[in-house]
Amino acid sequence: MTKKKEIKTNNNRHQYGLLSMLAMIVGVVVGSGVYVVNDSLYELSGSVGLIIITWIIISAVVLFMLVAFIEVASITARTKEPGTVNNWFRHFFGKKGSKYIGIFFPIIYFPILISVLAVIGSEQLFNTIWIDGDNSKPYLMFLFVTIFAYLFASLFYGVNAFTQKPGKIFQNTGTIIKLIPLFLLIFLGILIAANAFSPANEAFDNGGNFNFFDPNAAFNQGWENGADGWDSGVSNLEIILLMAPTIMFSFDGFLFAASLQNESKKPSTYKIAAITGIVFIVFIYIVLSLFVFAFGTSGENHDFSVVNCVFNITGQKWLSIIIGLMIVISVYTGFSACTIAQNRMIADLSVNNQIRDKNGDLIARNKAKVPQRAALWSWGLTIFWLTILRILDLAILISIISEGSSVITSTLFISGWSLNFITLLSYSVYTLLIIGAFKNRFDKKVEVEKTKGFYPAAIISIFAMFIVLIVFTINLFDYRSIFDQNDNLVVSGLLSYLIHILMVIFIIFLAIFIPNYFEKDVKKVQKEELEKKEKLIKQYLKNKTDPRFS
């Protein structure tokens, strides 16, 4: 009785109601991914229809994963621990299993994610500045994007390593700004659908790309042939599954909704807010994608970006530039949030003694209460991954140009693929947690709050991820991509094929080797040193400034 009363009292510290929690979930989960993925999906599939179908299927899978995750997240809601993947994994699989998760996210996942976001944001800036460019200067584009990727990475890490206030202001402002392009395009699309006005580009009258009765409309293309207009031997089902990781990236923040259980007034409020919030996000994502494809430019030089759609609808270049800059801010809002999260995760490695840090340097907070050394580590890791990815992107770019192609719409070659791969790895970790929760239903090892519909949601989530992983693995070793329709060897295809396999081996090797190396290194630390460090850990957890910075 006393225990239940105590839990209720603790919960009263958090006063998020239904509307405030809904707003928080929508504000955080809606990211920049929805603005940039559709054009790359079209590059892969060549079929608008298949893309829309994939959005619907993967959105349903994410919803099922969320339902299952509500039970997973109830662990830390009961123990009053932070709702993190590492903590959930530790409860289900013990410390030996969680050590791999604790290392994977701050050392591999976040540095690659942040590196790719830096490139995406810089590409969006390039396309906004040269909004009516012809993309015929690929080396200029690559140089511009790379310089600004390093510049923005250094700027945000530099600021977030020494202070918190600018990052919070940018985060709050950016969260509002990033929603404007999304709702503006939906609003304009609804007005055109209601015949309130005609689009500036006459090509989009009478349904444009979505004129179902026009065989030349974008929606009716690509159902039988591949993205290059020839039969590549890849089935529509396989294409849908290969597009899955790209769409999953747009929902990667859904886990935030699952981690808010101990922030709501009562459990029922949280469940309604989490599910309703994600359903709403799914709805606006699909509607936005419909309008992007309805008013984007199809064909060889396709452009299914929000910026291009706004221009095709309004004909106003100045408005398109403003929307483009808003999307740049949207990308770097997510970038900034990830840098802050990575900083804390590096510090948590020291708190959990998953890394040798006998002097507590990684958990030493400066006067702004930032674990400064951890932030500098994060910065270095990101620069390391960004350099590797840009070198590999450049190699692919050179090989493509050497084959006679001069029109390049993006320099996200290995970078974009790596983002899909780590997204798939992160969802695989989430699936393992769902498997852990499924097993827990039988062995009752961990105390959880049981969720209605858990079994079907868990089974569907596990099955879907299993199929996606199998198709991704088969496709990874599918050598057909290195030949064209005339069975001639494509150098850029061969290079991509080899790099993809090597990147998978390299990332998996690091994910296994580094945790084991750190574990052995930690064992070398003397017991007296660990006891001395405990005082520093307590200071860190109490959010106090380290004496070394006072």
Side-chain angles (χ1 to χ4, degrees):
M1 240 359 225
T2 310
K3 191 174 180 182
K4 287 185 179 178
K5 189 174 181 181
E6 185 182 19
I7 290 174
K8 187 176 179 181
T9 306
N10 287 338
N11 281 345
N12 286 336
R13 295 178 191 172
H14 307 292
Q15 297 297 317
Y16 289 119
L18 179 60
L19 290 178
S20 57
M21 185 156 282
L22 265 173
M24 188 186 303
I25 290 170
V26 172
V28 173
V29 177
V30 174
S32 57
V34 70
Y35 293 124
V36 299
V37 299
N38 282 313
D39 203 56
S40 60
L41 290 172
Y42 187 80
E43 188 78 29
L44 175 64
S45 69
S47 171
V48 172
L50 283 179
I51 295 170
I52 298 301
I53 290 171
T54 308
W55 270 107
I56 294 170
I57 293 172
I58 300 305
S59 297
V61 171
V62 169
L63 279 170
F64 283 122
M65 290 189 84
L66 175 64
V67 171
F69 245 96
I70 289 174
E71 184 162 317
V72 173
S74 69
I75 300 171
T76 46
R78 285 174 174 271
T79 60
K80 305 305 171 189
E81 297 172 283
T84 64
V85 175
N86 197 8
N87 283 334
W88 297 328
F89 217 90
R90 177 170 49 80
H91 282 284
F92 283 132
F93 301 105
K95 287 187 176 181
K96 286 188 176 180
S98 67
K99 72 180 180 183
Y100 295 101
I101 306 305
I103 296 295
F104 169 72
F105 281 96
I107 305 294
I108 298 172
Y109 175 78
F110 271 107
I112 293 178
L113 172 62
I114 292 167
S115 298
V116 179
L117 286 177
V119 176
I120 290 173
S122 300
E123 272 201 3
Q124 184 63 50
L125 181 62
F126 179 88
N127 291 328
T128 300
I129 293 173
W130 284 281
I131 194 168
D132 50 1
D134 58 3
N135 296 319
S136 62
K137 297 179 180 178
Y139 287 124
L140 173 63
M141 182 182 189
F142 182 88
L143 182 63
F144 178 96
V145 169
T146 303
I147 290 173
F148 274 87
Y150 279 105
L151 182 64
F152 281 125
S154 299
L155 175 64
F156 280 96
Y157 271 110
V159 171
N160 291 334
F162 297 98
T163 183
Q164 293 191 56
K165 192 172 181 180
K168 287 180 179 179
I169 294 172
F170 182 78
Q171 200 67 34
N172 294 334
T173 307
T175 300
I176 297 170
I177 290 174
K178 74 179 179 181
L179 298 175
I180 295 174
L182 189 152
F183 288 112
L184 175 64
L185 181 58
I186 292 176
F187 177 69
L188 292 173
I190 291 172
L191 288 180
I192 292 176
N195 293 319
F197 72 96
S198 297
N201 189 334
E202 295 179 359
F204 295 95
D205 284 338
N206 303 316
N209 290 332
F210 274 84
N211 186 336
F212 299 105
F213 303 103
D214 181 0
N216 297 316
F219 186 83
N220 295 317
Q221 300 297 308
W223 289 97
E224 296 180 0
N225 298 321
D228 298 320
W230 58 281
D231 188 0
S232 59
V234 181
S235 67
N236 285 345
L237 177 60
E238 188 175 347
I239 290 173
I240 288 172
L241 294 170
L242 289 174
M243 288 192 287
T246 305
I247 293 178
M248 287 175 178
F249 166 63
S250 300
F251 288 105
D252 207 20
F254 90 94
L255 213 61
F256 174 79
S259 66
L260 288 175
Q261 286 203 38
N262 53 1
E263 301 291 330
S264 63
K265 287 183 178 179
K266 50 186 179 180
S268 60
T269 299
Y270 157 74
K271 290 178 182 178
I272 293 170
I275 295 173
T276 305
I278 298 299
V279 168
F280 174 72
I281 291 167
V282 166
F283 173 74
I284 60 175
Y285 273 13
I286 292 174
V287 171
L288 178 74
S289 298
L290 283 169
F291 286 134
V292 162
F293 288 118
F295 302 108
T297 303
S298 59
E300 185 180 353
N301 297 323
H302 55 84
D303 186 355
F304 291 109
S305 65
V306 172
V307 173
N308 185 50
C309 292
V310 170
F311 181 74
N312 284 333
I313 292 171
T314 65
Q316 301 298 319
K317 186 176 178 180
W318 64 269
L319 180 59
S320 300
I321 291 174
I322 291 174
I323 293 299
L325 292 175
M326 285 183 174
I327 294 174
V328 172
I329 293 172
S330 167
V331 174
Y332 281 104
T333 299
F335 179 101
S336 180
C338 288
T339 63
I340 294 170
Q342 186 194 8
N343 297 348
R344 303 305 185 268
M345 284 185 173
I346 293 289
D348 286 343
L349 291 178
S350 177
V351 170
N352 298 325
N353 288 317
Q354 291 177 306
I355 191 171
R356 188 175 185 180
D357 182 32
K358 61 181 182 180
N359 296 321
D361 293 330
L362 295 177
I363 54 175
R365 294 185 186 270
N366 60 18
K367 291 183 179 180
K369 308 298 173 62
V370 176
Q372 187 171 302
R373 185 66 65 86
L376 294 174
W377 262 55
S378 302
W379 189 357
L381 284 166
T382 297
I383 294 300
F384 167 76
W385 281 106
L386 179 59
T387 302
I388 289 176
L389 293 174
R390 291 318 277 165
I391 290 172
L392 296 176
D393 284 336
L394 180 59
I396 299 297
L397 178 64
I398 292 171
S399 67
I400 291 174
I401 293 174
S402 67
E403 293 167 348
S405 177
S406 59
V407 178
I408 304 293
T409 57
S410 173
T411 62
L412 282 160
F413 303 113
I414 303 303
S415 297
W417 180 88
S418 297
L419 179 60
N420 285 342
F421 179 57
I422 61 164
T423 299
L424 197 56
L425 286 180
S426 67
Y427 272 82
S428 298
V429 171
Y430 308 156
T431 305
L432 285 174
L433 285 169
I434 294 173
I435 292 172
F438 195 94
K439 179 175 174 290
N440 189 64
R441 279 288 184 112
F442 299 95
D443 60 26
K444 296 183 170 73
K445 178 183 175 183
V446 184
E447 187 179 358
V448 298
E449 183 180 335
K450 292 184 178 180
T451 305
K452 288 182 180 179
F454 171 80
Y455 279 126
I459 291 169
I460 291 170
S461 302
I462 294 167
F463 177 75
M465 278 303 303
F466 180 70
I467 297 299
V468 170
L469 280 169
I470 288 176
V471 171
F472 179 86
T473 305
I474 293 172
N475 181 261
L476 178 66
F477 295 99
D478 188 349
Y479 60 85
R480 286 177 295 180
S481 61
I482 69 177
F483 299 102
D484 61 17
Q485 62 264 45
N486 298 317
D487 290 332
N488 295 317
L489 181 68
V490 180
V491 176
S492 59
L494 175 61
L495 191 59
S496 296
Y497 177 78
L498 294 174
I499 291 175
H500 289 169
I501 293 174
L502 291 173
M503 280 294 288
V504 168
I505 294 171
F506 181 58
I507 290 173
I508 292 177
F509 169 76
L510 291 179
I512 296 172
F513 172 77
I514 294 177
N516 288 318
Y517 173 79
F518 281 170
E519 185 180 45
K520 290 178 181 178
D521 202 37
V522 167
K523 289 179 180 178
K524 297 176 183 177
V525 180
Q526 300 296 321
K527 185 178 178 181
E528 295 79 12
E529 293 173 336
L530 288 176
E531 290 175 353
K532 182 181 177 182
K533 184 184 170 185
E534 282 299 317
K535 296 178 181 179
L536 299 173
I537 291 175
K538 288 178 181 178
Q539 283 184 328
Y540 172 79
L541 295 176
K542 290 179 180 179
N543 204 31
K544 289 184 177 181
T545 300
D546 190 275
R548 287 168 284 187
F549 287 100
S550 59

